């Protein structure tokens, strides 16, 4: 959920605008977007949103944020191509201004000059930003790695970083994701070599490769391997189909003629003539590969001998679902290959040191990563000679004021997580989540009773309906007895002349809760409903 | 959830009796136990349950299974000590016969002779079993590793495996957990060396070590390091306190005099004089370390400078919760150390090859592991010279019949997962889980209406109550409109003289579902309730 605002006098520019995926305890939530109250309140100052690359955690919240903060969006060609797919889905394509930028280009936004510097990452067309402000130059790395032999385009523009560094950089903000990992990330092109080895070894067998849809360079290498070994390429999974289409249209993915075929044509080819490129590398239940693995894919059936390559690594939290899909594939007699088929898109320690050395900033803010990554990146910067006071570890919402004489956290802006559920943005909060949590654990019991208004006598009920609590057919005695407990509670209320509904409900709820806990050691949600006629 | 039955004529013995932890989608479930219908149906044949070691996935289901299949339980001293803690909690201590076995000992159970062979594992007192049957000798490895320098007791009895192998083994069943990992597992004692290094480097700082409660040898090494560096030991977390107590009583854990102190005494000592050994190495929300990290521990507060050692590895599926606890610890200024502080308890490829070479069985069944591990262990056995037809990959419930001339899967016994929720064993099934799943995603709406019996007129309601759907205060319009939708649906029914309750409910449910989907793109559970007076 990356988003950063830079402000100088009456000028604000925003860098990136991403979503986060819901945490496990955010039951039923589709995605999480940032709270942009501060931008809404200052919408007249906002000159534009500048994007570093096209990953969801950097562009995903645009369709939501642009509704309230409709400002021009700047990004490189592929990034904007992916943004446009999103805006189209949300019917915003016409109302949002976009400007396509080439790496090396500089734009002026109010009192800011923003220069786009080519970097490398696990998606093509990633850039860092050099933001010239009246107070000095800020370099924001975006997500990056150093790849001397990238697939598409050129290596990261180290010369430009060096030049800016030599002239003097006020603030460096850099990707911390891989700060715990020693050494250098391998080049994307090393994956191609591994793929070739696997293809060479897979004669006569069908190959299925799962990877991130957005990793166009990876897809390119799979296509090259297919071409090399005379295989046809099938592209499967909604996001894979979309990204491949966009990347081909924009020239980021070169598909040799007569290589790609439709999924309905696979029966015309032998197994050894096919490569299927698919989504599902994270074991997502609804993704194409997972559906193949569980025999729920309409067109592709896994069979003995299939070779399935995971050209990916499980994102933390997905290890178990990935492992389950792999197990399902093995059960069908397929062979799964996960080794040497992926490289990271984020700089490791030596690359970070390289950038720090080139940029030599006055101040440093580690960004992109869990808190411990920020902390360790700060330590790395200090080991390289920075003073502790010149390094700032920020929390979402912190306002850092900075000039040549120093920096200080001077305040906070709202930075809640806004939950998106279906069409609802922000209408699911803690109370709703707590209820979902409770319902998910022990289910619920509903007690309904109709009373006569004057006398308070029971006219109908009490009836008890349960869901997610016990299997009712096998728990008839329990439910019968529970009904008696409620009846007694109601009679007690009647005797004691308790007429206040909320009190009656409380008595019923307590009696039933105690009874159920004693009998089952479970505490379902209990909802007493009183009707009066 | 390990459990295996061996049967010959009218004799059955059972090896291990474990639980599984619930999968993510088993909402609200506490634990999973095996279906022992076959044992219940043949209870007169069952001669006893033989245990290989004291981990939950090997002994945890005993209190449930012994209720129906009350047979003697055989195990080594520490294993039985842990079993007895369980039986005591379940009030079964008096009714279950236990017999303590020493490694090397042989017992006779019907037509079986069972010999206990010392192995090494991440819990002390683990054994393999050599089961002599009229058809030949079966060796069951249990969970094991080869540790030439174990902490407690002796290395795995390789000589005995060799001797049995030379005489001829019909069937080998062996641990497959680490079959994907190359090389040898490191000795448990290497962890002690790392701990010493960390302690040496932590002068003046408080040390907190999180590890698995059952890893008594690990706890022993932490105690030794504490002793070496003149630190007092505090033991925290319910299961850690219990296991340490049992292990000390039985002589598996040696605590030097004046070393252990109570948690309430920590304020009497300086940080540099303390080691806290705690549960929570898997990031479990309620475990002691997680509570410390989130400031919910009553007695221990994490402070800047604390050094926290994770002497563990996240079990697949726990990566994210562990990572979150680590982040919380860093936020409090603590430092977290996870490297070189853990070794696996399971044999890797070279150890497996060693055992296969010593045992040289006629038949082989890979056990303990996901399907892909079994598959790869089978491949390893074949690479070492076994014939594919002599290796059997079994699925839970499979019945394999075996004699000197060959083996064959001849049937299946019930092998469902029995879900335990509170006191309920098996009363939560797919319907209840499906309801919990649905409730957890979008919550529910309850529609209540009281009708007049004769006329079908609405006397009271319709009222709509929702939980876990939307935050009601901010969705008043939606709920008002939903009420109108229900009203209209009821009026339509009345006009069309639909009097069948289930039909009326269907009409209400459909109308409301369509309305809510159009407005929110969510589909909560809808429960129409009709009362009649």
């Amino acid at each position: 959920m990356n988003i950063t605002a830079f402000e100088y006098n009456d000028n604000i520019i925003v860098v990136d605008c991403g979503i986060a995926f819901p945490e496990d305890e955010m039951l039923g939530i589709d995605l999480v977007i940032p709270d942009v109250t501060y931008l809404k309140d200052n919408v007249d100052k906002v000159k534009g949103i500048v994007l570093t690359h096209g990953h969801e955690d950097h562009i995903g919240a645009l369709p939501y944020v642009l509704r309230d903060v409709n400002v021009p969006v700047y990004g490189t060609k592929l990034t904007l191509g992916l943004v446009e797919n999103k805006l189209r889905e949300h019917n915003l394509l016409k109302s949002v201004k976009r400007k396509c930028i080439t790496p090396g280009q500089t734009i002026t936004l109010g009192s800011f000059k923003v220069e786009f510097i080519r970097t490398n990452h696990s998606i093509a067309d990633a850039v860092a930003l050099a933001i010239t402000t009246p107070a000095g130059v800020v370099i924001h790395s975006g997500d990056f790695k150093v790849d001397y032999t990238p697939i598409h385009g050129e290596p990261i523009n180290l010369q430009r970083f060096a030049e800016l560094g030599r002239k003097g950089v006020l603030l460096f903000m850099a990707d911390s994701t891989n700060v715990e990992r020693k050494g250098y990330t391998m080049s994307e092109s090393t994956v191609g070599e591994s793929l070739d080895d696997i293809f060479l070894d897979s004669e006569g067998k069908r190959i299925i490769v799962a990877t991130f849809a957005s990793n166009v360079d990876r897809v390119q290498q799979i296509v090259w391997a297919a071409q090399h070994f005379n295989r046809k390429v099938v592209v499967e999974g909604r996001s894979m189909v979309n990204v491949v289409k966009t990347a081909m249209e924009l020239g980021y993915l070169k598909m040799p003629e007569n290589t790609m075929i439709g999924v309905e044509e696979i029966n015309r080819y032998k197994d050894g003539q096919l490569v299927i490129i698919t989504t599902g590398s994270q074991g997502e239940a609804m993704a194409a590969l997972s559906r193949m693995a569980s025999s729920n894919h309409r067109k592709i059936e896994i069979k003995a001998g299939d070779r399935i390559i995971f050209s990916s690594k499980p994102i933390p939290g997905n290890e178990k679902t990935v492992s389950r899909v792999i197990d399902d594939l093995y059960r069908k007699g397929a062979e799964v290959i996960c080794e040497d088929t992926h490289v990271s898109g984020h700089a490791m320690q030596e690359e970070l040191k390289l950038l720090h050395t080139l940029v030599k900033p006055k101040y440093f803010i580690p960004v992109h990563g869990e808190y411990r990554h920020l902390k360790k990146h700060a330590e790395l910067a200090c080991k390289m000679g920075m003073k502790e006071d010149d390094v700032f570890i920020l929390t979402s919402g912190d306002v850092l004021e900075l000039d040549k004489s120093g920096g200080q956290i001077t305040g906070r802006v709202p930075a809640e997580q806004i939950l998106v559920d279906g069409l609802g943005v922000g209408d699911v909060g803690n109370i709703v989540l707590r209820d979902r949590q409770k319902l998910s654990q022990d289910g619920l019991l509903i007690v309904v009773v109709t009373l006569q208004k004057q006398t308070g006598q029971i006219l109908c009920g009490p009836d008890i309906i349960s869901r997610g609590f016990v299997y009712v057919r096998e728990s008839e005695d329990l439910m019968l007895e529970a009904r008696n407990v409620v009846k007694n509670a109601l009679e007690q209320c009647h005797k004691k002349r308790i007429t206040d509904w909320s009190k009656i409900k409380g008595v019923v709820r307590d009696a039933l809760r105690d009874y159920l806990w004693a009998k089952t050691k479970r505490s379902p949600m209990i909802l007493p409903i009183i009707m009066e006629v």
Side-chain angles (χ1 to χ4, degrees), chain A:
Chain A
M1 200 167 70
N2 296 291
I3 184 165
T4 314
F6 295 85
E7 183 167 354
Y8 188 91
N9 286 345
D10 280 347
N11 301 279
I12 294 176
I13 59 169
V14 177
V15 172
D16 291 337
C17 187
I19 57 156
F21 293 100
E23 301 287 332
D24 286 346
E25 67 273 16
M26 296 179 182
L27 295 170
I29 297 303
D30 299 326
L31 48 95
V32 185
I33 61 172
D35 182 339
V36 292
T37 303
Y38 182 76
L39 297 181
K40 282 189 222 171
D41 293 347
N42 294 277
V43 68
D44 294 340
K45 298 185 186 173
V46 184
K47 305 301 173 198
I49 300 177
V50 181
L51 303 173
T52 59
H53 64 284
H55 277 153
E56 285 296 323
D57 56 335
H58 292 257
I59 67 166
L62 279 173
Y64 302 94
V65 169
L66 288 169
R67 281 184 214 164
D68 299 313
V69 186
N70 192 342
V71 296
V73 175
Y74 302 84
T76 52
K77 195 160 66 169
L78 181 63
T79 306
L80 280 195
L82 296 170
V83 167
E84 282 161 13
N85 288 348
K86 274 184 194 304
L87 295 180
R88 199 171 295 120
E89 275 175 33
H90 283 80
N91 260 324
L92 287 168
L93 203 52
K94 282 189 188 151
S95 56
V96 174
K97 272 194 202 155
R98 288 127 17 222
K99 181 134 191 247
C100 186
I101 302 296
T102 316
Q105 199 177 332
T106 300
I107 56 171
T108 302
L109 295 172
S111 36
F112 298 104
K113 281 195 171 43
V114 182
E115 177 186 344
F116 291 71
I117 308 174
R118 173 178 294 286
T119 59
N120 305 118
H121 187 39
S122 46
I123 186 169
D125 240 10
V127 290
L129 306 171
I131 305 169
T132 303
T133 78
V137 174
V138 176
I139 294 187
H140 189 300
S141 76
D143 285 358
F144 83 101
K145 69 186 279 190
V146 174
D147 194 337
Y148 300 115
T149 54
I151 298 305
H152 182 92
E154 289 159 47
I156 177 172
N157 190 347
L158 293 175
Q159 292 176 335
R160 187 57 187 151
F161 283 98
E163 196 170 17
L164 289 163
R166 210 159 41 86
K167 287 185 190 158
V169 169
L170 181 71
L171 172 67
F172 187 33
M173 301 169 76
D175 183 0
S176 313
T177 312
N178 268 345
V179 68
E180 290 181 312
R181 296 172 69 182
K182 286 173 186 157
Y184 273 93
T185 346
M186 300 292 279
S187 168
E188 177 63 32
S189 58
T190 58
V191 176
E193 297 162 24
S194 302
L195 289 175
D196 275 355
D197 290 346
I198 298 167
F199 276 58
L200 183 64
D201 188 43
S202 304
E203 215 185 303
K205 291 178 180 174
R206 190 165 62 167
I207 295 177
I208 300 175
V209 191
T211 191
F212 303 99
S214 61
N215 198 334
V216 177
D217 293 340
R218 188 68 50 82
V219 174
Q220 181 70 74
Q221 295 190 89
I222 302 165
V223 168
W224 285 343
Q227 186 185 15
H228 188 170
F229 290 92
N230 282 317
R231 289 175 183 254
K232 299 290 177 192
V233 169
V234 178
V235 174
E236 253 305 297
R238 201 176 70 96
S239 61
M240 188 62 82
V241 169
N242 288 344
V243 174
V244 163
K245 186 167 170 285
T246 302
M248 282 172 67
E249 282 168 9
L250 300 178
Y252 288 83
L253 179 65
K254 309 254 181 324
M255 186 72 71
E257 257 180 88
N258 298 321
T259 299
M260 198 155 81
I261 62 166
V263 64
E264 61 287 347
E265 298 176 74
I266 55 173
N267 293 328
R268 289 206 234 145
Y269 297 88
K270 288 186 196 151
D271 288 347
Q273 297 176 312
L274 288 168
V275 180
I276 299 167
I277 307 176
T278 178
T279 54
S281 67
Q282 295 301 313
E284 312 93 316
M286 299 310 293
L289 182 64
S290 312
R291 284 185 284 122
M292 295 176 209
S294 59
S295 302
N296 286 317
H297 195 284
R298 280 173 308 128
K299 289 171 183 161
I300 301 170
E301 185 114 17
I302 301 293
K303 48 190 174 185
D306 281 349
R307 297 202 109 184
I308 290 125
I309 302 172
F310 277 75
S311 187
S312 59
K313 218 186 109 175
I315 293 169
N318 295 345
E319 293 83 353
K320 211 170 177 182
T321 46
V322 171
S323 153
R324 223 192 272 185
V325 170
I326 293 178
D327 239 51
D328 285 344
L329 293 169
Y330 269 106
R331 274 178 220 277
K332 294 195 183 306
E335 194 189 343
V336 180
I337 301 169
C338 304
E339 268 170 39
D340 303 324
T341 53
H342 182 63
V343 296
S344 172
H346 297 274
M348 296 189 191
Q349 283 176 8
E350 295 308 311
E351 290 153 274
L352 295 174
K353 288 181 198 164
L354 171 59
L355 266 284
H356 277 272
T357 305
L358 295 178
V359 173
K360 268 267 169 269
K362 191 160 165 52
Y363 303 110
F364 173 57
I365 303 176
V367 295
H368 306 334
E370 306 292 326
Y371 183 84
R372 70 174 184 280
H373 299 131
L374 307 183
K375 178 94 177 140
K376 289 189 175 172
H377 201 173
E379 285 168 15
L380 180 142
C382 291
K383 268 187 206 154
M384 297 191 64
M386 292 199 73
K387 278 180 284 177
E388 234 174 271
D389 286 351
D390 294 341
V391 177
F392 307 97
I393 299 181
L394 303 184
T395 304
S396 295
D398 278 351
V399 176
L400 178 79
E401 287 193 28
L402 196 71
D403 60 24
K404 275 156 194 151
S405 67
Q408 212 179 337
I409 294 172
T410 56
R412 287 188 57 77
V413 299
E416 296 292 299
Q417 298 176 311
I418 309 290
L419 309 184
V420 178
D421 182 4
L423 294 180
V425 177
D427 66 340
V428 171
N430 285 334
I431 297 176
V432 174
L433 285 184
R434 226 164 27 228
D435 281 348
R436 288 184 185 173
Q437 190 65 39
K438 179 139 181 83
L439 290 166
S440 77
Q441 289 305 298
D442 284 325
L444 90 157
L445 263 86
I446 304 163
V447 180
V448 210
V449 61
T450 304
L451 302 178
Q452 187 161 48
K453 206 175 274 175
Q454 285 80 20
T455 62
Q457 263 190 319
I458 298 175
L459 290 180
C460 183
D463 285 356
I464 296 185
I465 295 124
S466 88
R467 286 291 185 281
F469 172 54
V470 288
Y471 187 48
V472 179
R473 282 207 200 152
E474 290 184 359
S475 309
E476 278 175 9
D477 291 350
L478 181 77
M479 299 308 271
L480 268 179
E481 190 53 35
R483 195 164 175 267
N484 286 334
V485 168
V486 173
K487 246 188 185 158
N488 287 338
L490 286 170
E491 275 162 21
Q492 289 301 317
C493 289
H494 192 59
K495 266 190 203 157
K496 290 182 189 161
R497 307 196 178 200
I498 299 172
T499 53
D500 178 48
W501 280 19
S502 71
K503 269 190 197 150
I504 297 177
K505 285 181 185 180
V507 172
V508 167
R509 197 183 282 120
D510 291 351
L512 196 52
R513 190 192 52 218
D514 293 349
Y515 170 73
L516 294 174
W517 179 255
K519 286 288 179 184
T520 67
K521 289 274 182 291
R522 300 182 201 168
S523 46
M525 184 184 278
I526 296 173
L527 286 179
I529 302 173
I530 300 174
M531 308 286 279
E532 235 181 24
V533 294

